[in-house]
Amino acid sequence: MVVNRAENPLRAIPQVDELLQRPSLQPLWRELGAQQARRVIRETLEELRARCAAAPEAAADTLSAGLAGLEAELETRTRSRLSPSLRAVINATGVVLHTNLGRAPLSAAACQRLGEIAGAYTNLEYSLAEGRRGKRDTHIEALACELTGAERTLVVNNNAAALLLVARTLAGGGEILISRGELVEIGDGFRVPEILIAAGARLVEVGTTNRTHLADYRRAAGPATRLLLRVHRSNFEMSGFTSRPRREELAALGAELGLPVAEDLGSGCLLSPAISGFAEEPTVSECLAAGMEIVTYSGDKLLGGPQAGLLSGKKVWLDRLRAEPLFRALRVDRLTLAALEATLDAYARESWDEVPVWRMLRARDLEARAQSFASRLAPAWQAAVEPDESPVGGGALPGTRLQSWVIWLKPSGYGCMELAERLRKAEPPVLARIQNDRLGLDLRTVFREQENALLQVFESLQS
Ligand SMILES: *Cc1c(COP(=O)(O)O)cnc(C)c1O
C-alpha cells in the first residue's frame, strides 16, 4: 500500500469492521468468534498506531511495514489466543520434582482414572453398598492406611493446607513448640512458621539453629503449649556439630506432657530405602512407627501423585481435624481423589515403576538413551554426551545427586540463551539446562514417548 505522506498517514489503517468482513480472514474469525476477533483486531491496530506515534520521523515506513504484515500478525495473535495457557511441556532439565513445571507427572493409570471420573457423576459422597450418603474420605483412606500403618488418613489441598489444619485445630490460640533448626522456608517465599502463625498459633522456638535437645522442649512447655511439631529439613542439610532428639524421644515427651506430636514430613516418601535407594529419607510409616501421631506430607513430591496434602496418624487427632469447619475449605475434589487412589494402588501392587517419579528417579538406562538420542540429532546438531548429576528438586533430598548423562549442544551462529528461548517457544515447549554457555538435555525427565517430538523440535530449528 502506498502511504500518502501529505495527508495524515494513519488514515491508511483499515477500520475494525473492514478487517472483520475481509473474506481472506473469515476462517480465522470463525475459529475465534466475533467478539474475540474484534478485540484482537483492535489491539493489533492500536499497537500499530502506537509504533507510528513513537517514531514520527519513520512513521510512514513503520506503517507500510505494519500494513503489509497485518494479516500475518492477526493470524499469529489469533493462534496465540486459541492455544491454552496451561500446556504440556517437555522437561529436559533432569529435575524430577520441578515445582515450576508442576512437580509429579501422573501415572498412566491415574490419567486413565481421571478420564473416567472427570466427565461423570460418581459415588464421591454416596455409599453404593448402603444406598445413602457416604464420605469422600473413604476412597483412599483404607489404601493409604495400609501403606503407612496409620489409623486414619485425610486428604486436603496441599501440605501447606494440612499444616494449617493441624495448627489451627490443635494449637489455635495456643503454643506450638518447634526447634530453631527446623524453621524451614520451602520456596517462593513460603515459610512453615508463617503458616503456623497464620493459623492462629504462637510459635515457641526451642534450642539453637544447630542443636536442639529434648530438655529444650521440656523447659519451654507450659500451660499454653498445645503441640510439639517436628519439621523435615526437606530442602537443606545440616552437618557438623548438630543434634536433635530422636522421634521416639519427642514422642515419649509428648505422651508424658499429654501433648500431641506431629511431623511435617514434606516429601512424603512411601518407599523404604532398600527400594528407593535414598538411605537418608524417612518414610511416612517409619515416622508413625517412631511415635509421631500425625504426619503431614505432599501428594505430588516423592509420592508421585496429584497436588494434595495427606495427614496420616492416630484416629483421636484425625477425627478432630476432620470435624474442624476449616476442613471443608481445604478439602479436595473427585479428580484429586481419583488420581491419588490410582497412584496409591500402584504402591499397593508394589508396581512402583508405574509411578513416573520413581521410574525417573530409579532410571538406569540414561547413558544408552543419551547416546542414541545424540546420534539421532547428528549431523544437524553436534552433541557431546557427558556424565553429570541431576538434583531431585521440589525441595526433596537436598543432599542427593543422581548420576545422570547429559547431551550438551552448542548452536553455531547464535547463542545458547537464544536456543533456550527458541525451545521454550516451540511446540511442544522444551525446557533444558544451561551451563557454561552450553545447552543440556537430561533425558531422565523426558518420557520415551516424547523423544520423537523432541527430535522434531530440534529438526525444526537451525543448529
Ligand atoms: C514441600 C513442603 C511443604 C509444602 O508442601 P505443599 O504440598 O507444596 O503445600 C511443607 N513442608 C515441608 C517440609 C515441605 O517440604
Side-chain angles (χ1 to χ4, degrees):
M1 181 169 307
V2 181
V3 177
N4 185 344
R5 287 160 193 267
E7 299 170 22
N8 179 356
L10 296 181
R11 292 236 178 86
I13 294 181
Q15 301 289 311
V16 174
D17 279 326
E18 193 267 296
L19 288 167
L20 207 53
Q21 306 303 333
R22 194 179 278 184
S24 56
L25 292 170
Q26 290 315 301
L28 268 194
W29 304 152
R30 265 196 297 279
E31 271 190 82
L32 196 57
Q35 206 167 334
Q36 288 205 86
R38 245 174 221 290
R39 205 171 296 145
V40 164
I41 295 170
R42 212 175 288 131
E43 279 169 14
T44 311
L45 298 183
E46 270 166 22
E47 274 187 33
L48 181 55
R49 282 194 198 95
R51 281 209 307 276
C52 293
E57 65 292 349
D61 295 339
T62 307
L63 191 59
S64 305
L67 292 176
L70 189 56
E71 291 205 4
E73 176 65 22
L74 288 169
E75 161 123 34
T76 308
R77 284 172 185 250
T78 299
R79 292 280 154 248
S80 117
R81 271 209 186 221
L82 287 171
S83 83
S85 169
L86 184 59
R87 292 195 289 160
V89 304
I90 293 181
N91 173 9
T93 65
V95 182
V96 174
L97 295 173
H98 201 306
T99 300
N100 299 151
L101 303 185
R103 290 197 187 150
L106 296 175
S107 68
C111 295
Q112 192 189 334
R113 197 78 60 84
L114 283 174
E116 291 159 10
I117 292 297
Y121 289 107
T122 62
N123 61 337
L124 178 64
E125 289 189 354
Y126 190 82
S127 161
L128 294 172
E130 295 164 25
R132 58 187 167 89
R133 200 192 149 102
K135 288 222 179 275
R136 66 178 67 206
D137 312 339
T138 53
H139 303 293
I140 65 103
E141 188 158 18
L143 206 46
C145 290
E146 197 181 295
L147 293 167
T148 59
E151 292 172 6
R152 278 210 74 176
T153 295
L154 300 177
V155 188
V156 290
N157 186 49
N158 54 18
N159 189 26
L163 267 177
L164 179 70
L165 184 65
V166 168
R168 168 102 207 152
T169 312
L170 302 181
E175 293 172 0
I176 300 176
L177 303 194
I178 183 170
S179 162
R180 287 202 168 88
E182 298 175 359
L183 299 168
V184 177
E185 174 169 319
I186 304 301
D188 198 23
F190 165 65
R191 294 171 168 177
V192 169
E194 288 173 1
I195 280 276
L196 304 175
I197 291 166
R202 289 192 302 281
L203 291 194
V204 176
E205 300 173 12
V206 306
T208 60
T209 303
N210 57 329
R211 287 170 75 84
T212 302
H213 307 287
L214 197 63
D216 295 319
Y217 287 93
R218 191 190 294 280
R219 209 175 306 122
T225 308
R226 299 280 176 274
L227 176 70
L228 305 184
L229 180 66
R230 182 180 164 109
V231 179
H232 185 43
R233 294 176 187 142
S234 47
N235 57 4
F236 71 106
E237 276 190 317
M238 253 198 215
S239 61
F241 189 53
T242 65
S243 80
R244 57 173 167 175
R246 288 185 304 117
R247 291 186 177 84
E248 287 82 353
E249 294 170 322
L250 202 59
L253 181 66
E256 182 192 319
L257 300 173
L259 295 170
V261 185
E263 175 156 6
D264 170 15
L265 194 55
S267 37
C269 187
L270 296 183
L271 294 185
S272 68
I275 300 156
S276 73
F278 302 134
E280 70 279 29
E281 185 63 18
T283 65
V284 178
S285 53
E286 187 183 322
C287 297
L288 290 169
M292 297 293 106
E293 296 175 282
I294 305 156
V295 176
T296 74
Y297 48 106
S298 297
D300 54 355
K301 290 185 180 172
L302 288 178
L303 200 146
Q307 179 191 304
L310 288 88
L311 302 105
S312 292
K314 287 238 163 77
K315 187 172 180 321
V316 275
W317 304 119
L318 287 154
D319 284 349
R320 274 184 63 186
L321 299 175
R322 183 65 178 85
E324 157 74 40
L326 185 64
F327 180 84
R328 171 67 190 234
L330 307 176
R331 71 180 191 180
V332 294
D333 74 337
R334 67 186 192 287
L335 299 182
T336 301
L337 289 171
L340 190 57
E341 185 185 14
T343 307
L344 293 175
D345 183 60
Y347 286 92
R349 288 181 289 103
E350 302 183 31
S351 302
W352 309 290
D353 282 345
E354 283 182 19
V355 178
V357 163
W358 286 109
R359 198 164 61 233
M360 295 187 283
L361 288 173
R362 286 153 44 98
R364 295 285 175 268
D365 56 354
L366 295 174
E367 181 179 8
R369 279 182 69 196
Q371 295 291 5
S372 136
F373 195 78
S375 68
R376 292 174 76 194
L377 283 170
W381 292 86
Q382 288 301 315
V385 175
E386 294 172 13
D388 206 315
E389 293 175 330
S390 7
V392 173
L397 300 162
T400 305
R401 297 272 151 197
L402 303 163
Q403 172 68 64
S404 229
W405 289 84
V406 176
I407 304 161
W408 293 106
L409 301 166
K410 208 173 160 132
S412 49
Y414 58 99
C416 129
M417 295 308 281
E418 186 173 340
L419 175 57
E421 183 181 341
R422 290 185 190 189
L423 289 170
R424 281 202 314 276
K425 293 182 174 167
E427 183 49 49
V430 176
L431 285 305
R433 279 197 210 178
I434 295 170
Q435 212 171 289
N436 300 333
D437 207 29
R438 292 194 301 177
L439 183 126
L441 306 172
D442 184 339
L443 297 185
R444 180 186 296 281
T445 47
V446 176
F447 297 108
R448 279 186 178 280
E449 333 52 289
Q450 291 177 324
E451 282 185 17
N452 285 338
L454 183 59
L455 195 68
Q456 274 164 21
V457 166
F458 275 95
E459 279 167 358
S460 74
L461 300 176
Q462 223 185 341
S463 72

